Amino acid sequence: MHDREFQLTASPHARPSSSRLPRPARRLQLLGAARDVFVSQGYHSAAMDEIAERAGVSKPVLYQHFPGKLELYLALLDESADELVKIVSDALSSTADNRQRVAATFRAFYDFVAGTGEAFRLVFESDLSNEPAVRGRLDRAMNECADMVSQFIREDAGVSNEEAQLLGMALVGMAQVSARYWLDTEQAIPKDAAEQLIARLAWRGISGWPIPN
């Protein structure tokens, strides 16, 4: 009797329970599963059931960390936007030469787009961009990148704050759009060649402003 009870308990068809993880590690696990689902299906088609299954947890565990699908999406969007801002910041601080700064900025965007997991689609191709909370985060990411670029333009090009801000947004917009186009054309041009080509175009334009005395 005891042997039969053990066999029933240990049935291979029983769903294994998810091992207990520290809360930060569990959160990272859930975000990773959510990223896969949101990137492949978009926000509207993604289901919390599928995200929980992908993470190997029950829905109650998922809801312990994120009260709803929107909150989960926003947490993931914050993570991706922060990643973009950081790599642009690192690129701008990697050199004191402005021509190299322009090249490094374009390289940062191409690296972000070419990265594994296609997290860039959450920032650049969200199907929930009309949601105010999402729109605010998308705008914040691009504005912070443009603000960093505009600081160097304002210092060296002799333009007003408003002009520097516009030029900064133009540069990051060029980087973002060209990087996505490069990826969508199945990388017909090698990455290094593509980013250098667009960086030269941008530098020829921005370097035309005089450096103030």
Side-chain angles (χ1 to χ4, degrees):
M1 179 68 177
H2 291 296
D3 289 341
R4 177 170 176 77
E5 288 180 5
F6 174 79
Q7 291 172 3
L8 290 173
T9 303
S11 170
H13 299 291
R15 181 178 177 180
S17 60
S18 178
S19 59
R20 295 185 65 85
L21 291 176
R23 188 172 181 84
R26 177 68 76 196
R27 179 182 173 87
L28 288 176
Q29 178 196 33
L30 296 175
L31 287 173
R35 182 186 301 109
D36 293 341
V37 175
F38 282 131
V39 166
S40 63
Q41 299 185 21
Y43 177 83
H44 295 291
S45 297
M48 294 291 272
D49 284 342
E50 182 174 356
I51 293 170
E53 182 177 355
R54 181 74 63 95
V57 302
S58 64
K59 278 183 69 177
V61 170
L62 179 57
Y63 281 112
Q64 285 174 8
H65 291 262
F66 303 100
K69 186 166 74 166
L70 178 59
E71 289 78 10
L72 176 54
Y73 187 83
L74 293 176
L76 192 57
L77 185 55
D78 281 335
E79 184 183 75
S80 299
D82 288 345
E83 179 187 355
L84 173 61
V85 171
K86 183 181 186 304
I87 65 172
V88 172
S89 177
D90 290 345
L92 290 169
S93 61
S94 66
T95 178
D97 181 270
N98 283 333
R99 182 170 187 171
Q100 293 304 316
R101 280 194 178 111
V102 171
T105 299
F106 280 85
R107 189 179 310 116
F109 273 86
Y110 277 73
D111 286 345
F112 183 67
V113 165
T116 58
E118 296 191 329
F120 78 94
R121 297 194 185 280
L122 297 171
V123 181
F124 298 149
E125 300 176 4
S126 173
D127 63 344
L128 197 63
S129 58
N130 289 331
E131 165 65 38
V134 172
R135 183 76 264 159
R137 284 162 168 80
L138 301 178
D139 290 344
R140 176 186 65 82
M142 292 300 287
N143 285 334
E144 288 189 19
C145 291
D147 286 344
M148 291 186 289
V149 172
S150 69
Q151 291 177 17
F152 297 102
I153 295 175
R154 183 169 52 251
E155 292 169 3
D156 296 330
V159 296
S160 68
N161 291 342
E162 292 76 13
E163 291 170 331
Q165 190 67 35
L166 179 60
L167 290 169
M169 184 59 75
L171 284 177
V172 299
M174 184 188 300
Q176 184 246 114
V177 171
S178 66
R180 288 169 56 200
Y181 177 78
W182 166 79
L183 189 67
D184 288 343
T185 54
E186 299 181 349
Q187 308 174 31
I189 301 174
K191 176 176 171 292
D192 289 348
E195 65 194 27
Q196 290 171 16
L197 180 68
I198 304 302
R200 284 200 300 270
L201 172 64
W203 175 251
R204 287 188 177 186
I206 201 66
S207 63
W209 276 273
I211 298 176
N213 295 324

